[in-house]
Amino acid sequence: MGIGTRLAQLGRTSDVHYGFVNTPVYRGSTVLFKTLDDLEHQRARYTYGTAGTPTIESLESAWTALTGAAGTALTPSGLGAVALALLAALKHKDHLLMPDSVYQPTRSLCGHLLEKFGIETTYYDPLLGEGLAALLKPNTSTIFLESPGSQSFEVQDVPAICALAQRHGLTTIIDNTWATPLFFRAHAHGCDLTVEAGTKYLSGHSDILLGLVSANARLWPALKRTYQSMAMLPGAEDCYLALRGMRTLHIRLQEAESRGLQMAEWLGAQPEVDRVLHPALPSCPGHRLWQRDFEGSTGVFSIILRPGYGREDLARMLDQLSIFGMGYSWGGFESLIIPFDCRPYRTATTWNPGGFALRLQIGLEDLADLQADLRAGLDRLRGMGA
Ligand SMILES: *Cc1c(COP(=O)(O)O)cnc(C)c1O
């Protein structure tokens, strides 16, 4: 069945909810057992709030089917999902490989939390494929991937890295938030664990925080055990909203793709822009891997401005934008722009783009309005206009 049909049907439980189309919001800690015997044998469909509710199970089962996984665990944020996946894969004294382009809070997690438990992290150039073999140590257990990289958009050779990991018995985790399972089939490409910040496109409306970790059959027992030990689960309302977002995910991603591409190409033609980092454009590092492995692109990409502008020029450009907002996160209906600088934290690679770097999220506003807003901003950058 096609993706639209699947997204419309996954996780539905109408039969047990009097025919209502959507699984309701189940709130609850305690579940009552009818008899002592039932209690002693845990004889009940649901036993306690942390062990699952119909709302949580609807989302979990939908995501498991969508990703082609063996099982899914939900977390209260995307970063929580990264943490859960890492804790499921790693143990004391393990060595972890992390791409230098990884989402910055993931980097902090390795430094602040994992290091405390004796786990050593080595950062690697995200453009390495087979070459990663040179960084393996006897205690390497896990390779983390994020493709494309946060902010800088390097596309990774996921199949090559997963093949290497399989040869050495290592676990692979991918943060697949940008592409979503619709545009990158992470498990089919060999990844053991996939992480999605549902906060972004699954939500689609900038109103929830949520994370999802899916596991293949080999890693599902470890993920489930780790999840059950901590029971860090999202609220019922947020699971409900994520399920609602899922029904329109393909439509919103189609829009994100076409709008993202049109804006990226338009920006690339503006004289103030030096280059565009969009995986579907040849100027993006790893573009050919995107062409080979992905089924689409989304509406988040970066641009590098020509060198020579100062901070005050940039402030003039950004402070007076009327449609683009400045803020973290993305994947909602609204357009965003945010400057970034990877220089302070990169360790395996050098980030030296020449000019200011800006990340854009293209929302659902009219393209002509978005272009007019940015064009006026670029004029202010050059000291022209208001
Ligand atoms: C936003 C994001 C996260 C974290 O999601 P939160 O819900 O904000 O914690 C993780 N990875 C990537 C790639 C992200 O863009």
Side-chain angles (χ1 to χ4, degrees):
M1 276 193 284
I3 189 66
T5 312
R6 296 181 69 215
L7 289 176
Q9 296 192 343
L10 291 174
R12 298 251 306 270
T13 53
S14 308
D15 286 354
V16 292
H17 294 112
Y18 307 100
F20 280 96
V21 168
N22 293 292
T23 306
V25 175
Y26 275 81
R27 295 179 176 280
S29 50
T30 301
V31 181
L32 301 176
F33 296 86
K34 278 203 160 66
T35 65
L36 177 63
D37 207 51
D38 284 349
L39 178 69
E40 283 174 348
H41 294 93
Q42 295 285 294
R43 206 181 292 121
R45 178 70 180 79
Y46 297 98
T47 55
Y48 189 64
T50 58
T53 67
T55 316
I56 286 174
E57 281 188 8
S58 280
L59 181 55
E60 282 175 348
S61 69
W63 198 254
T64 296
L66 190 62
T67 53
T72 296
L74 308 176
T75 59
S77 70
L79 185 57
V82 171
L84 177 65
L86 286 167
L87 292 176
L90 292 159
K91 62 180 191 319
H92 182 52
K93 291 197 169 163
D94 275 1
H95 175 235
L96 164 69
L97 287 168
M98 267 284 158
D100 213 19
S101 51
V102 78
Y103 179 62
Q104 214 275 330
T106 298
R107 187 183 278 266
S108 303
L109 168 71
C110 297
H112 297 144
L113 184 71
L114 298 184
E115 197 185 300
K116 218 173 67 169
F117 293 97
I119 293 157
E120 183 202 354
T121 306
T122 299
Y123 289 90
Y124 66 88
D125 181 342
L127 296 176
L128 279 179
E130 275 294 320
L132 260 188
L135 298 179
L136 297 183
K137 298 183 181 194
N139 60 336
T140 306
S141 75
T142 304
I143 305 177
F144 195 97
L145 304 94
E146 184 183 324
S147 183
S150 271
Q151 301 180 321
S152 46
F153 290 92
E154 296 93 336
V155 183
Q156 297 197 252
D157 193 341
V158 179
I161 294 174
C162 287
L164 175 78
Q166 272 157 22
R167 279 203 306 283
H168 291 85
L170 312 178
T171 297
T172 46
I173 307 173
I174 189 166
D175 186 331
N176 197 33
T177 299
W178 181 84
T180 84
L182 271 59
F183 290 158
F184 185 72
R185 310 275 309 148
H187 289 302
H189 279 98
C191 300
D192 294 309
L193 293 166
T194 82
V195 168
E196 181 82 18
T199 307
K200 308 289 167 57
Y201 280 119
L202 184 59
S203 148
H205 294 76
S206 307
D207 54 1
I208 63 167
L209 291 159
L210 187 87
L212 309 96
V213 186
S214 62
N216 61 13
R218 190 171 76 84
L219 264 292
W220 174 232
L223 176 62
K224 193 174 176 185
R225 226 181 302 119
T226 310
Y227 172 73
Q228 287 174 341
S229 310
M230 298 191 295
M232 281 198 268
L233 66 160
E237 198 85 42
D238 292 345
C239 294
Y240 180 89
L241 288 171
L243 273 165
R244 186 158 83 165
M246 201 184 65
R247 308 299 175 202
T248 56
L249 184 59
H250 59 310
I251 304 284
R252 290 185 289 105
L253 284 184
Q254 272 167 27
E255 281 297 312
E257 176 166 42
S258 93
R259 286 153 179 280
L261 278 168
Q262 287 178 72
M263 289 300 288
E265 278 162 4
W266 178 81
L267 277 160
Q270 305 307 304
E272 298 83 358
V273 176
D274 184 64
R275 63 190 188 280
V276 180
L277 303 176
H278 185 303
L281 298 184
S283 49
C284 192
H287 163 68
R288 293 166 75 131
L289 298 170
W290 175 83
Q291 266 183 323
R292 187 190 67 188
D293 297 338
F294 286 65
E295 275 135 77
S297 61
T298 55
V300 186
F301 61 91
S302 291
I303 57 171
I304 311 294
L305 298 176
R306 284 195 196 286
Y309 302 114
R311 193 193 164 279
E312 276 163 30
D313 302 322
L314 187 67
R316 261 199 325 275
M317 171 184 172
L318 297 177
D319 290 352
Q320 294 171 57
L321 289 171
S322 61
I323 301 176
F324 280 86
M326 260 190 289
Y328 298 110
S329 201
W330 41 266
F333 54 84
E334 80 289 14
S335 290
L336 299 169
I337 189 166
I338 195 118
F340 67 92
D341 185 359
C342 309
R343 272 175 307 188
Y345 48 83
R346 288 240 172 169
T347 52
T349 53
T350 315
W351 173 255
N352 194 6
F356 286 116
L358 298 166
R359 189 190 69 193
L360 292 96
Q361 125 88 15
I362 306 305
L364 298 171
E365 304 93 341
D366 290 294
L367 287 184
D369 295 335
L370 293 178
Q371 289 174 0
D373 197 27
L374 289 179
R375 191 52 256 164
L378 291 168
D379 286 343
R380 289 192 299 273
L381 178 76
R382 292 200 310 191
M384 296 160 61

